[in-house]
Structures are given as C-alpha cells and as structure tokens.
Amino acid sequence: PDLLSPGDLVVLNDTRVLPARLVGRREATGGKWEGLFLRTTPEGLWEMLSQTRGYPEVGTAFVTDTGLRLTLRGRTADRHWLMEPEADGTPPELLSRYGHIPLPPYIRKGRQEASDRDRYQTVYACSAGSVAAPTAGLHFTPAVFAGLAARGIDVARVTLHVGLGTFAPVKEADPTKHAIHREWCEVTQGAVDAVAAAKVRGGRVVAVGTTTTRTLESAARPNGLRPFVGETDLFIHDPFEFRAVDALVTNFHLPRTTLLLLVGALAGGELLERAYA
C-alpha cells in the first residue's frame, strides 16, 4: 500500500483456477494417461491437452483415478483431444468432483497436496474458469487490502480466465507475427465506473497482473472503456497506446513470451532490462 497513493484504483482479476488436471489410464489396456481441460466446444466436448503412449483411436475410453470415464471423439487442428465425459454436469462441477489442481512445475514439481485447491488461488478468487492462477494476485492478503483501504485506495474487479496460450513461447523471429491466443474476459459497468472515478480524481489505474491489463485494454477499444464480455485476442506489444491502465503490478516472466512483451510495452525496454538485471 505504501507504494501507491490515495486516490489510486487497484484492479484485480477475480478468476478462480479449475481443478483442470485429470490423471488416469486407458480403460482397455491400463496404459497411463494424463489430460488438462482447456475449454468446452460448442458441441459440448472437452478440448484437452493429453499425454499417453501411442496414438489412441477415436472411440478409445479413459478412466480417471477419481472414477470419471471419458471417450476420445476427435482431435483439433492443434492436435488437442476432444473428449466426451460420461457423467452429467457442467465442466466446473465435474472437474471439482474428479479433477486435480494443475500446479505449475515450479511448485513441488507439480505434485498436488489437499490444501492446493485453496492455496493455489488468490484470496479474492470467485469466478471459476482458469487453468492457471493470475499469479501477480497471489501476493495480496487481507492485511494488504486493509492497508489499501486505510490509505484511501479503492479496489475494483474484472475477470479473465487464464488459458494455456498465455504461456506459449514466441517462436517467430518477428514477435509481432506471433499467433496470439484468445481468452474469455468480462468488464462490468461497476468496474468501468470505478476506473472513470479514479481518472476524474487524478488517481492511477493500477492493474494487478498482465491478465487484468489485457482485460481492461480490450474493453477500452475502440472508443474508450466500456462494459465488455467475450473473448479477446488483443496482443499488447510495443508500440501500444494504453487507454485504461497507468501502472502494473507483475511478477517476472519467462523469456520470449507475450507476457514479457506486454510488460515491455508499458515499462519500456530500458527499465525492463534494469529490473531483470
């Protein structure tokens, strides 16, 4: 809180991480299988990243260690699997019952503990839909929010469901040619009003994380910040005109990622190099 000024507005991404990791075996052979839920197709199939030996045929059945049966119904152009779960329920309901939290490898090499369903979340997470936590928000605690309130710093929320494409490396020699991923996000009228009020009083809009930044800047196009709901394919890289965000709280990012390009567009190359050095 001491780094910010009274009148500033902190904007959070309130997405919640799904237990999107499934572990199991092929029903017929017992061969090991692992999958990560990405999204639901319009036809109701689960698009998943999957790992197993060989190249299973369409129609192959898999059973998770928690008892969910899924059948392979096809593959996408990206070679993602299209799976049909046998149980009834929405993806959040079924994953809550049968899935595991998809911990990143830098946390216990991905090995899950029972407490991770609560621990690998921001303290303000409420809207289930992400396959990874918006990690800048993991630093915030009730004590931090109390400190912000005591200094007269308001808080607003938006939602962006973090997809695996967020972490996809940039392989193009010209990074601006990278095929950017799409993610679902929402900015409510309440968030729009909070941003407008901060601007009027001369405060800064402080985005917590690259996902919050992408959400706000998506909703600010083409004609200023408006309520927004849907998928965004906004690719933020230098040069870029920020129309909503004045400051960013973020972690360090891996080289050759779109996240690093976003931070560089706001901070500038010189500051970015100094920070990483």
Side-chain angles (χ1 to χ4, degrees):
D2 293 342
L3 293 173
L4 304 184
S5 303
D8 286 347
L9 175 71
V10 171
V11 186
L12 313 167
N13 177 11
D14 67 3
T15 189
R16 187 171 183 83
V17 182
L18 291 167
R21 179 172 174 250
L22 296 171
V23 179
R25 57 180 175 80
R26 292 197 207 188
E27 188 175 59
T29 66
K32 292 181 179 180
W33 167 82
E34 184 172 330
L36 181 72
F37 171 87
L38 299 177
R39 69 182 190 98
T40 309
T41 69
E43 299 75 31
L45 299 176
W46 287 12
E47 183 175 337
M48 302 184 71
L49 284 179
S50 291
Q51 286 184 325
T52 191
R53 293 186 66 179
Y55 192 80
E57 296 181 356
V58 170
T60 302
F62 299 81
V63 180
T64 69
D65 58 355
T66 49
L68 178 64
R69 188 174 188 269
L70 304 103
T71 304
L72 177 62
R73 296 301 184 198
R75 293 178 175 86
T76 69
D78 298 327
R79 304 181 71 83
H80 297 165
W81 291 20
L82 298 173
M83 301 282 273
E84 181 182 8
E86 208 166 78
D88 293 328
T90 66
E93 289 169 348
L94 292 180
L95 291 170
S96 178
R97 199 181 314 158
Y98 297 106
H100 304 280
I101 286 290
L103 284 185
Y106 56 80
I107 298 179
R108 294 194 304 275
K109 297 183 179 180
R111 292 190 299 271
Q112 183 184 351
E113 294 181 357
S115 62
D116 292 337
R117 288 202 177 205
D118 293 321
R119 297 278 292 161
Y120 188 57
Q121 308 281 359
T122 61
V123 296
Y124 47 82
C126 63
S127 180
S130 285
V131 300
T135 51
L138 293 177
H139 304 289
F140 285 70
T141 64
V144 171
F145 287 118
L148 290 170
R151 280 180 60 78
I153 298 166
D154 289 344
V155 174
R157 299 183 178 202
V158 297
T159 305
L160 181 140
H161 293 324
V162 184
L164 208 64
T166 292
F167 312 101
V170 176
K171 297 178 180 177
E172 303 285 346
D174 178 356
T176 64
K177 305 297 185 193
H178 175 74
I180 193 69
H181 56 287
R182 303 178 70 89
E183 290 173 315
W184 184 93
C185 62
E186 180 178 18
V187 178
T188 64
Q189 184 65 55
V192 171
D193 293 343
V195 168
K199 300 282 191 183
V200 166
R201 64 178 176 258
R204 295 172 299 176
V205 174
V206 182
V208 176
T210 55
T211 60
T212 300
T213 304
R214 192 181 194 207
T215 303
L216 287 171
E217 293 300 329
S218 297
R221 280 155 173 74
N223 300 310
L225 192 64
R226 301 283 188 277
F228 176 88
V229 60
E231 288 194 329
T232 178
D233 60 357
L234 181 65
F235 189 1
I236 299 177
H237 58 78
D238 192 48
F240 185 83
E241 179 191 358
F242 287 87
R243 300 179 180 175
V245 173
D246 301 303
L248 170 62
V249 177
T250 190
N251 296 322
F252 288 103
H253 298 286
L254 289 171
R256 301 193 65 80
T257 57
T258 59
L259 307 180
L260 197 57
L261 288 169
L262 182 154
V263 177
L266 182 67
E270 183 185 345
L271 175 60
L272 197 65
E273 288 186 16
R274 287 214 319 271
Y276 276 71

